[in-house]
């Protein structure tokens, strides 16, 4: 049986539906990504899975138990890193770990051993006596992860663990998640960074409380992508986006979307090859030179943008 089973889960706040009849399962030993923009319903879902919030309808089973009625039995076997992970900033690194270890009821010998493992995982050895508030965002996030796995949970739930840290720290954090998975831990992680989708074994994409895509990255690409992605390298990408969007709104080009990717522009359209010339002409008429233009494999980000149109 899969360790997390979410069935027709719904949460309403007054007449606002934050989570709207969603169903999915998390498989043992995978990194399951729960992706979506801010306000999509990620935290609300995680809180219902953890039994911290009562659903309006539907149910959740965690490790074969009812999330709402058997919360006390589930808790020691799961870890949770909340969105504003609650570390004490005026405690040192080691004091925070001791505090969390004690809260999980770890005995002295076991606590020493687990703290050592957490410090090693988070690469915080030698920083035990620094004040937590003085650590950079990336270090604090790794410490929070270390604290969440002290009691060796089978599943960890991480709510936007990489929000607001630099790309390098985000990369390091994902490497840590892979290490946990190698040790047999199941990881449920939310993020609003669409580029992190490719790091997940499977994922659900949630928007306005509804799941609009579910599966492995390759499956989602296969099923969800209508149209092709044309990547354009113009001399002025921001200006090219403006020109193409205007042409699209005026119905001059059959573009579904136009997005800026650094110095490149991605347009999604049916049968991209047929319209290359029209696009080129449109840009040339606006005096924008085009260095290169190619139909490319869509990234998951392209797929989500297409699915949201
Ligand atoms: N306690 C609450 N009362 C009313 N609305 C809420 C409450 N909690 C969350 N919401 C609303 O539900 C929606 C989903 O919120 P949330 O689950 O926090 O989104 P996410 O974590 O994806 O950013 C948001 O529009 C939010 O304002
Ligand atoms: Mg949230």
């Amino acid at each position: 049986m899969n360790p997390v089973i979410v069935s027709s889960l719904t949460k309403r706040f007054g007449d606002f539906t934050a989570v709207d009849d969603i169903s999915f399962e998390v498989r043992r030993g995978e990194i399951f990504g729960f992706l979506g923009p801010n306000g999509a319903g990620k935290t609300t879902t995680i809180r219902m899975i953890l039994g911290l919030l009562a659903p309006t309808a539907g149910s959740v089973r965690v490790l074969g138990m009812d999330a709402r009625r058997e919360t006390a039995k589930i808790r020691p076997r799961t870890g949770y890193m909340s969105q504003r992970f609650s570390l004490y900033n005026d405690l040192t690194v080691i004091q925070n770990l001791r505090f969390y270890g004690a809260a999980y009821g770890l005995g002295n010998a076991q606590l020493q051993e687990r703290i050592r493992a957490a410090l090693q995982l988070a690469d915080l050895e030698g920083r035990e006596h620094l004040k937590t508030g003085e650590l950079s965002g990336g270090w604090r996030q790794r410490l929070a992860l270390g604290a969440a796995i002290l009691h060796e949970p089978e599943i960890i739930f991480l709510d936007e663990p990489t929000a607001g840290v630099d790309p390098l720290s985000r990369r390091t954090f994902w490497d840590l998640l892979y290490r946990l998975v190698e040790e047999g831990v199941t990881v449920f992680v939310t993020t609003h960074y669409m580029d992190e989708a490719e790091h997940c074994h499977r994922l659900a994409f949630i928007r306005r409380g509804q799941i609009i895509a579910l599966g492995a990255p390759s499956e989602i690409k296969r099923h969800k992508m209508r149209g092709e992605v044309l990547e354009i390298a113009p001399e002025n990408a921001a200006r090219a986006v403006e020109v193409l969007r205007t042409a699209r709104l005026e119905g001059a080009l059959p573009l579904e979307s136009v997005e800026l990717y650094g110095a490149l522009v991605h347009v999604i359209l049916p049968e991209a090859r047929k319209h290359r010339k029209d696009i080129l002409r449109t840009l040339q008429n606006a005096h924008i030179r085009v260095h290169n233009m190619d139909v490319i494999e869509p990234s998951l980000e392209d797929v989500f943008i297409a699915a949201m149109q």
Side-chain angles (χ1 to χ4, degrees):
M1 190 197 285
N2 284 328
V4 180
I5 303 174
V6 172
S7 315
S8 306
L9 193 63
T10 297
K11 182 68 192 183
R12 285 189 212 98
F13 296 109
D15 43 14
F16 174 73
T17 305
V19 174
D20 191 1
D21 192 19
I22 63 170
S23 300
F24 61 88
E25 300 193 4
V26 178
R27 298 176 188 162
R28 193 170 290 279
E30 71 179 0
I31 299 184
F32 186 90
F34 203 56
L35 266 85
N38 289 325
K42 301 182 296 297
T43 298
T44 306
T45 301
I46 242 184
R47 289 174 57 78
M48 288 192 282
I49 294 175
L50 289 164
L52 300 169
L53 184 70
T56 309
S59 65
V60 180
R61 296 193 74 77
V62 178
L63 298 167
M65 295 177 273
D66 183 277
R68 197 60 192 155
R69 282 195 300 269
E70 295 169 281
T71 315
K73 273 194 266 173
I74 296 171
R75 184 136 315 147
R77 297 173 60 187
T78 55
Y80 174 38
M81 180 172 154
S82 70
Q83 193 160 359
R84 9 189 17 157
F85 36 90
S86 17
L87 294 170
Y88 295 93
N89 279 333
D90 40 1
L91 295 186
T92 63
V93 166
I94 192 119
Q95 286 169 335
N96 261 303
L97 290 173
R98 285 201 192 113
F99 174 84
Y100 276 95
Y104 291 126
L106 296 182
N108 235 337
Q110 200 189 3
L111 183 59
Q112 293 306 328
E113 165 52 30
R114 291 303 301 155
I115 286 180
R116 222 164 41 80
L119 287 170
Q120 199 195 4
L121 176 86
D123 202 11
L124 279 164
E125 289 160 309
R127 291 181 169 79
E128 293 89 334
H129 300 290
L130 292 181
K131 279 261 191 308
T132 300
E134 287 161 11
L135 299 174
S136 74
W139 295 108
R140 266 209 309 281
Q141 265 145 327
R142 292 203 284 275
L143 174 59
L145 178 66
I149 56 151
L150 279 175
H151 58 306
E152 296 182 270
E154 292 161 58
I155 314 177
I156 48 169
F157 295 90
L158 310 170
D159 198 359
E160 302 221 26
T162 55
V165 296
D166 62 276
L168 190 62
S169 299
R170 278 168 58 193
R171 190 67 239 190
T172 312
F173 196 89
W174 277 95
D175 288 340
L176 285 189
L177 297 187
Y178 290 122
R179 267 168 55 195
L180 287 175
V181 161
E182 275 168 23
E183 291 168 17
V185 180
T186 303
V187 177
F188 181 100
V189 56
T190 78
T191 177
H192 68 264
Y193 294 117
M194 295 209 239
D195 60 316
E196 292 186 336
E198 311 266 0
H199 301 327
C200 307
H201 297 122
R202 291 194 320 124
L203 60 108
F205 188 80
I206 183 171
R207 175 179 182 244
R208 295 194 196 137
Q210 296 180 332
I211 290 180
I212 59 170
L214 175 68
S218 58
E219 290 167 353
I220 293 179
K221 283 181 195 172
R222 224 169 24 246
H223 293 137
K224 283 284 163 183
M225 195 63 196
R226 295 178 320 247
E228 294 177 313
V229 181
L230 190 63
E231 186 174 80
I232 307 167
E235 67 182 353
N236 182 341
R239 175 94 185 96
V241 165
E242 244 171 75
V243 168
L244 292 173
R245 282 201 178 138
T246 312
R248 170 187 171 229
L249 292 175
E250 289 168 352
L253 290 172
L255 308 180
E256 298 203 1
S257 78
V258 182
E259 297 294 328
L260 186 63
Y261 281 76
L264 300 170
V265 180
H266 281 192
V267 301
I268 296 173
L269 73 169
E271 300 182 281
R273 278 172 191 85
K274 274 193 185 170
H275 298 284
R276 291 173 62 116
K277 275 204 183 115
D278 300 332
I279 290 170
L280 202 55
R281 195 176 323 113
T282 304
L283 290 170
Q284 278 167 349
N285 287 347
H287 309 289
I288 298 169
R289 274 181 46 201
V290 173
H291 304 306
N292 195 27
M293 188 150 106
D294 265 314
V295 177
I296 58 158
E297 268 293 298
S299 69
L300 269 178
E301 213 163 333
D302 293 318
V303 176
F304 295 142
I305 287 167
M308 284 199 280
Q309 296 299 310

